[in-house]
Amino acid sequence: MADSPGTGTAPDAGEQASGALDATAPLAPLIPLTASEGSGAYSRVPDGAPTEPASTDGAQVRLRDLWRAGRARRRALRAEVRRFTVRQRHRRLAWLGAGIGLVLLVAGTVGVAYSPLFALQHIEVVGTSQLPAETVAEALSGQLGTPLAAVDESAVKAALIAFPLVESYTHEASPPHDLVVRIVERTPVGYVTSAAGYTLVDAAGVALATTQDPPGGYPGLDVAGGLGSDAFAAAGQVMRALPDSLRTQVTAVSASSPNDVRLTLAGSEVVWGSAEQSAMKALALQQIMAGRPGASAYDVSSPSVVVVR
């Protein structure tokens, strides 16, 4: 609280710090402000002038300016984003163009491959010696006119499986109009005698042909257990291991067990034993027959020690 006038005493420092006001002190007069037209600035209203409601034109101007500034800022931000991502967009467009080009290329290639432009017109059969190539090509003639990419695998297999001499085959397209079929024929190892006649078989026991007379150039097979036995498998393996110079001289093959394979070769008996080390046994037999021809028997069951009788 202030002292009475005329005492000359200063107000208490504590009262100044707390900012307390004397309720009896006179208050400064209030001066009303008014906004200038079109500027949004406030000016002092003269004393005694009538007061009117403040105009809203300045507020509307400020809102419009704020909206325009915000739109300009957003536009500038989008421009900056486009500027910084231009390489990424170009890269994305390049990948998109490459993908579309690849799809069009694949679609075009597939369309041409399955079109009449690549229709099958000629079948070439290679690798046959006992089987006439023309006969195989005729069996596959149902595929003529088919696009090379649409050749029916199952139909080709069904046509070739009808030939017992065909052991395996492959085929490949040779554009624009050829199909090459490669045949691996079965190798006959001899014939077995049955009520039906003489049946030529390969090393797997597959019957290749049956005739009423013994087929020339092949030995007779006398194997215990028949075509599905282990003895026959051993005899077939031995015949497959013989070089042509020896195989053509074999007139008979017998096997009472897988470990007792015997050959009749150029009038001599050859004790072969098992099918193991057949390559070494064949080489030893060639050498001993060249050194001591005309022997009644050769035992090569142990190729390191050949016995001649």
Side-chain angles (χ1 to χ4, degrees):
M1 177 182 297
D3 294 338
S4 59
T7 59
T9 305
D12 192 342
E15 294 180 356
Q16 292 181 356
S18 62
L21 297 176
D22 189 356
T24 61
L27 300 176
L30 298 176
I31 302 176
L33 299 177
T34 182
S36 300
E37 183 178 359
S39 65
Y42 290 94
S43 61
R44 180 176 177 179
V45 179
D47 295 339
T51 60
E52 298 179 356
S55 173
T56 59
D57 291 345
Q60 293 177 356
V61 170
R62 287 195 299 274
L63 291 176
R64 187 181 301 112
D65 291 342
L66 290 175
W67 178 78
R68 289 176 179 175
R71 186 175 64 175
R73 183 176 61 84
R74 289 191 297 271
R75 187 181 298 124
L77 181 60
R78 287 195 297 269
E80 286 298 308
V81 171
R82 286 195 298 270
R83 184 170 68 87
F84 280 104
T85 60
V86 61
R87 295 181 62 182
Q88 182 180 358
R89 294 199 309 275
H90 288 171
R91 189 181 300 111
R92 189 182 301 115
L93 290 175
W95 279 107
L96 180 61
I100 294 175
L102 180 60
V103 170
L104 293 177
L105 177 62
V106 171
T109 302
V110 171
V112 171
Y114 283 87
S115 70
L117 295 175
F118 289 90
L120 178 60
Q121 297 180 3
H122 179 257
I123 299 175
E124 181 183 1
V125 178
V126 298
T128 58
S129 59
Q130 306 172 72
L131 191 62
E134 297 79 7
T135 304
V136 178
E138 180 63 25
L140 298 173
S141 61
Q143 298 299 312
L144 294 175
T146 304
L148 289 176
V151 170
D152 191 348
E153 298 278 348
S154 59
V156 172
K157 181 178 180 179
L160 295 179
I161 204 172
F163 298 95
L165 280 173
V166 177
E167 181 175 5
S168 62
Y169 70 91
T170 59
H171 65 83
E172 58 185 15
S174 179
H177 305 296
D178 294 345
L179 180 69
V180 180
V181 181
R182 304 185 185 278
I183 301 292
V184 176
E185 294 182 334
R186 296 184 182 275
T187 302
V189 296
Y191 62 87
V192 295
T193 305
S194 65
Y198 301 92
T199 303
L200 195 64
V201 296
D202 71 343
V206 177
L208 306 180
T210 300
T211 60
Q212 296 302 315
D213 299 319
Y218 297 102
L221 302 175
D222 182 13
V223 179
L227 300 179
S229 64
D230 292 339
F232 181 84
Q237 187 175 348
V238 169
M239 289 297 295
R240 291 291 296 267
L242 291 176
D244 292 339
S245 60
L246 293 179
R247 187 186 304 115
T248 55
Q249 300 181 54
V250 177
T251 58
V253 179
S254 64
S256 59
S257 71
N259 297 318
D260 185 26
V261 178
R262 296 172 181 265
L263 310 177
T264 301
L265 189 148
S268 301
E269 182 184 21
V270 178
V271 179
W272 198 272
S274 68
E276 296 180 357
Q277 297 181 312
S278 289
M280 294 181 61
K281 293 176 181 179
L283 180 60
L285 181 60
Q286 282 182 308
Q287 294 175 347
I288 198 64
M289 289 184 68
R292 299 184 60 178
S296 60
Y298 301 94
D299 188 342
V300 293
S301 56
S302 178
S304 58
V305 181
V306 179
V307 179
V308 180
R309 292 194 298 270

